Amino acid sequence: MPQPRYGIWIPVYGNCGAMNHPHEPRDASYTRAKQLIQLAERYGFTTTLIAEHIINPRNQELDQLETWTTAAALAQATKSIEIIAAVKPLLFHPVVLAKMALNIDAISGGRFAINLVSAWFMPELQKSGIPFLPHDERYHYSGEWIEVVKALWSGERVNFQGDYFQITDLCLRPRPIAQPHPRVYLGGESDAAKNLAMQAADVFFLNGRPLEVVRETIADVRKRKRTKPLPLRFAMSAFVIARPTEAEAQAEYEYLLELNKQDDRTELLKGVEPEVVMFKNMAKYPGVGSNGGTAAGLVGSYDTVAARIADFVGVGIDTFMLQFQPFAPEMQRFSQEVMPRVRSLELVA
């Protein structure tokens, strides 16, 4: 089977791990995002994800990088890496978003994708005066929204009458370079998210979880009805701590865990919509990083981390969206020490 793809989370909140790391100043600027993605491209990473928030969910007084203008700029600043912009349908009318995506697709030469997120942080919508729909209704809204977007991406003249959107005789030009359309990623741990992924997504995004949980989740998703001709692919988030020895990796993990405890997450947890399954499960997997972080177990010696990546490939993961801290030197370490070890293994899916 082909080797896995590796990507990085752009640190849109300032940092991906502890907010106050002594060797990584908190910085949510475009300049930093550009520097990291250009380094990632040089180090052999092939994709990147830009999460979307209007305000910083960890602390509303902190800086927060804007996703879509950043994606357009990074498309111009890079040569080969896939750029995935997260999008919350409640923030963008599908016609406006479809047109913006087509332009970034053109700027990037077909390297653009979206990550459909049905929202979980209530304050950014409530403070903006945007109605925050109940959990399952948000997924119904997202399903109709992505149907409109993909219809407009097709280049055909669209007439659509739905519960939320009415589109009349509309055709967008130019058509996308990416064929048949920009790739659609979608994640979530609820049944509503899994069902929508099977209907509308190209790639299902899993939060970092232990191997057996990931195996069971993939099996659960695959048993659902698929309405697209191509099979659904699977990506996973993970925070990596790789060192020459197990003891060194564990010591670094404990250090980052202690730094994490200094972060005040009260504002974040108060703003989470109660029905979001990811946050209901969060207490089961304490650790470092967002979206499951170290729960995936990519903590250990270089050989151990490489072997665990191979195990995840074996159960169906083909893309790893990674977090590091401090980001730049640890990303380089992963590129130099772990990627070659994975290439040397015989991967079986």
Side-chain angles (χ1 to χ4, degrees):
M1 111 156 240
Q3 287 285 321
R5 302 164 69 234
Y6 302 107
I8 63 165
W9 285 77
I10 294 295
V12 296
Y13 314 117
N15 286 334
C16 287
M19 294 299 280
N20 295 302
H21 193 289
H23 304 301
E24 186 171 52
R26 188 170 59 238
D27 182 358
S29 68
Y30 169 72
T31 298
R32 184 185 185 205
K34 177 182 175 182
Q35 290 170 345
L36 286 177
I37 196 174
Q38 289 177 334
L39 280 175
E41 198 170 51
R42 190 184 315 161
Y43 293 154
F45 290 80
T46 57
T47 185
T48 190
L49 174 62
I50 315 169
E52 182 180 60
H53 286 286
I54 292 174
I55 53 178
N56 194 312
R58 298 185 182 186
N59 183 333
Q60 294 178 35
E61 298 302 315
L62 299 178
D63 291 350
Q64 174 70 34
L65 187 67
E66 197 286 313
T67 300
W68 281 73
T69 50
T70 296
L74 292 179
Q76 183 67 38
T78 55
K79 297 178 180 178
S80 62
I81 198 166
E82 178 190 45
I83 297 166
I84 309 169
V87 58
K88 294 174 180 172
L90 291 170
L91 297 178
F92 291 92
H93 192 282
V95 172
V96 175
L97 188 285
K99 183 62 177 175
M100 290 168 62
L102 286 172
N103 202 48
I104 303 176
D105 169 77
I107 295 168
S108 69
R111 294 182 284 120
F112 185 62
I114 69 168
N115 180 37
L116 185 62
V117 181
S118 293
W120 54 266
F121 189 60
M122 296 184 292
E124 62 188 348
L125 296 174
Q126 293 169 338
K127 289 174 181 287
S128 304
I130 300 171
F132 195 89
L133 303 177
H135 182 275
D136 286 0
E137 188 178 351
R138 290 202 305 278
Y139 279 94
H140 179 55
Y141 183 97
S142 292
E144 189 171 299
W145 184 95
I146 191 63
E147 185 178 349
V148 172
V149 168
K150 290 165 74 173
L152 291 167
W153 282 347
S154 74
E156 304 301 322
R157 195 164 296 279
V158 175
N159 287 279
F160 182 93
Q161 297 296 313
D163 294 333
Y164 303 102
F165 305 108
Q166 293 76 45
I167 312 300
T168 305
D169 196 34
L170 181 62
C171 180
L172 299 184
R173 290 290 186 272
R175 295 186 179 188
I177 296 173
Q179 288 295 318
H181 53 69
R183 189 176 287 134
V184 176
Y185 290 75
L186 191 151
E189 299 187 8
S190 67
D191 285 331
K194 294 170 183 175
N195 289 335
L196 182 56
M198 285 300 278
Q199 295 162 14
D202 302 294
V203 186
F204 186 71
F205 227 141
L206 286 83
N207 293 310
R209 295 289 182 257
L211 181 67
E212 284 309 310
V213 175
V214 169
R215 187 198 307 272
E216 292 167 4
T217 301
I218 290 176
D220 181 37
V221 173
R222 281 176 170 164
K223 73 183 182 184
R224 298 162 194 263
K225 183 179 180 182
R226 178 71 165 162
T227 57
K228 291 171 63 68
L230 295 176
L232 187 66
R233 293 168 44 204
F234 294 90
M236 185 183 73
S237 176
F239 191 103
V240 177
I241 303 174
R243 292 291 184 275
T245 68
E246 299 292 333
E248 290 173 278
Q250 187 62 30
E252 182 66 12
Y253 171 72
E254 297 292 341
Y255 173 65
L256 291 177
L257 205 57
E258 285 301 313
L259 284 179
N260 257 359
K261 291 177 182 178
Q262 299 173 18
D263 292 346
D264 184 0
R265 296 180 181 265
T266 304
E267 194 169 334
L268 170 69
L269 296 175
K270 282 172 58 179
V272 175
E273 198 268 328
E275 294 304 311
V276 175
V277 178
M278 176 179 73
F279 283 90
K280 291 181 179 181
N281 289 335
M282 193 166 67
K284 298 179 185 177
Y285 308 105
V288 179
S290 67
N291 293 80
T294 52
L298 300 190
V299 178
S301 70
Y302 302 142
D303 288 334
T304 294
V305 172
R308 287 177 181 161
I309 288 172
D311 289 340
F312 280 112
V313 172
V315 302
I317 300 295
D318 67 24
T319 300
F320 294 84
M321 199 64 67
L322 304 177
Q323 302 173 6
F324 305 94
Q325 191 167 38
F327 210 108
E330 292 302 316
M331 175 172 61
Q332 182 179 23
R333 183 197 298 269
F334 182 87
S335 172
Q336 293 175 343
E337 300 292 350
V338 178
M339 284 187 189
R341 285 171 166 82
V342 177
R343 284 194 293 270
S344 71
L345 299 174
E346 184 175 344
L347 303 182
V348 179

